[in-house]
């Protein structure tokens, strides 16, 4: 029970395949009490159903992360329900489909702004608004991907957004360290989720990882969730500003 008595906010559940949902289940298993946000009306029912399946009552708040007022309302709601929180899970990313289908060199100004607003700045906005309700020793994690550092064909502007996210993790870790708040990234290998489905060549990519990763397989979503729980728990109390790879070792291989 690594998270016994802890309360947390999970941002980024869309459906049962979401990495955020796997993290929520693992955190719940370890004794945590959870609040959730959902992006909009379209996802309300799905997230409500999933949250209810944990038993008990998890507070739910609508929160489009591009909307400062909705972020503030969600944090106010969490404060009203829980008082303070011990952790925050950020598992949100979006780029327009065309930006992931064409060459990176064609990226539009609007597409660039949108991808970095949703996928990078949102961590800063959430950390900023949640800072007053974090307990001492609180932990923030954000999901990232290897395309932040190396070129993964067609990850494109999302790679730039994840590079900004990873840098934001370090700058937030520096600032919030003074309040004993830790901030870390979990860099997951490819996982079949809603955000991954419909990306052409995703299955081929998983085959490449399987053949080259030291563990000769793809990561399981539950392994990503367990690593997330570690970073959210006091077991990782000395770790901040770090990116933890949960990718069966794929990132260490040069050839
Ligand atoms: P997912 O589609 O289940 O989750 C993405 C979430 O982002 C959804 O819940 C969606 O509602 C939310 N979102 C998008 N735009 C938003 C907005 N404007 N406001 C609020 N929420 C918004 O897919 P996932 O794969 O579970 O993605 C979760 C995180 O994991 C993302 O940061 C993604 O980059 C990261 N990640 C995924 C993989 C993978 O292969 N699936 C690998 C590494 C990292
Ligand atoms: O972060 C991601 C996916 C993020 C994502 C996915 C979509 C698909 C639908 C962001 N925006 C959108 N917009 C859509 O319209 N991953 C780490 C998974 C992923 O996506 C890829 C990958 C991998 C891995 C895209 C191209 C190449 C590799």
């Amino acid at each position: 029970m690594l998270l016994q008595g802890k309360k947390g906010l999970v941002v980024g559940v869309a459906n049962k395949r979401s990495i955020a949902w796997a993290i929520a289940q693992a955190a719940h298993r370890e004794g945590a009490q959870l609040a959730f946000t959902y992006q909009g009306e379209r996802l309300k029912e799905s997230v409500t159903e999933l949250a209810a399946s944990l038993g008990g009552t998890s507070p739910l708040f609508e929160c489009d992360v591009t909307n400062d007022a909705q972020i503030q309302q969600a944090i106010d709601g969490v404060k009203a329900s829980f008082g303070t929180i011990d952790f925050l899970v950020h598992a949100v990313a979006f780029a327009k489909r065309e930006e992931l289908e064409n060459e990176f060199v064609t990226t539009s100004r609007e597409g660039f702004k949108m991808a970095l607003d949703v996928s990078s700045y949102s961590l800063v906005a959430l950390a900023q608004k949640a800072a007053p309700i974090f307990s001492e020793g609180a932990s923030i994690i954000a999901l990232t991907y290897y395309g932040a550092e190396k070129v993964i064909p067609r990850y494109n502007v999302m790679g730039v957004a994840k590079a900004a996210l990873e840098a934001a993790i370090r700058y937030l870790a520096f600032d919030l360290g003074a309040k004993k708040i830790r901030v870390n990234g979990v860099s997951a290998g490819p996982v079949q989720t809603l955000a991954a489905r419909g990306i052409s060549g995703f299955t081929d990519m998983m085959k490449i990882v399987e053949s080259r990763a030291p563990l000769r397989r793809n990561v399981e979503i539950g392994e990503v969730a367990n690593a997330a729980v570690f970073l959210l728990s006091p077991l990782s109390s000395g770790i901040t500003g770090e990116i933890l790879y949960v990718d069966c070792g794929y990132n260490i291989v040069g050839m």
Side-chain angles (χ1 to χ4, degrees), residues 1-2 14 29 35 57 67 72 74 91 101 108 116 127 131 148 157 161 169 186-187 203 206 231 236 242 246:
M1 295 296 262
L2 290 171
R29 177 193 76 212
T57 45
N67 184 324
Q72 190 59 57
E101 285 173 346
S108 68
L116 274 90
V157 74
I169 286 169
V186 173
S187 186
T203 314
M206 292 190 81
L231 288 175
S236 59
E242 192 63 89
V246 190

Side-chain angles (χ1 to χ4, degrees), residues 1 32 35 47 58 100 104 146 166-167 179 183 215 220 229 234 239:
M1 295 296 262
V47 179
S58 292
L100 303 177
F104 175 69
Y146 191 47
E166 292 184 7
K179 295 177 145 179
V183 190
L215 294 181
E220 284 168 25
V229 164
I239 303 176

Side-chain angles (χ1 to χ4, degrees), residues 47-162:
V47 179
T48 304
E49 229 170 76
L50 289 169
S53 76
L54 295 179
T57 45
S58 292
L60 295 184
F61 307 97
E62 179 169 348
C63 181
D64 180 323
V65 296
T66 63
N67 184 324
D68 284 320
Q70 282 188 16
I71 293 177
Q72 190 59 57
Q73 280 164 22
I75 298 300
D76 291 347
V78 172
K79 184 178 180 182
S81 302
F82 285 167
T84 60
I85 55 173
D86 306 291
F87 63 86
L88 170 69
V89 176
H90 177 285
V92 175
F94 182 76
K96 291 182 190 162
R97 181 165 290 279
E98 68 243 41
E99 311 289 3
L100 303 177
E101 285 173 346
N102 303 311
E103 283 191 279
F104 175 69
V105 70
T106 69
T107 304
S108 68
R109 190 181 298 276
E110 249 336 285
F112 189 101
K113 275 189 189 165
M114 161 80 103
L116 274 90
D117 190 12
V118 175
S119 316
S120 320
Y121 181 72
S122 60
L123 178 68
V124 182
L126 280 161
Q128 182 183 107
K129 305 273 199 264
I133 67 163
F134 278 128
S135 64
E136 191 165 309
S139 175
I140 302 176
I141 62 159
L143 271 293
T144 184
Y145 178 61
Y146 191 47
E149 329 175 21
K150 300 289 180 193
V151 172
I152 305 292
R154 290 194 300 277
Y155 199 59
N156 294 354
V157 74
M158 272 308 307
V160 176
K162 290 301 194 189

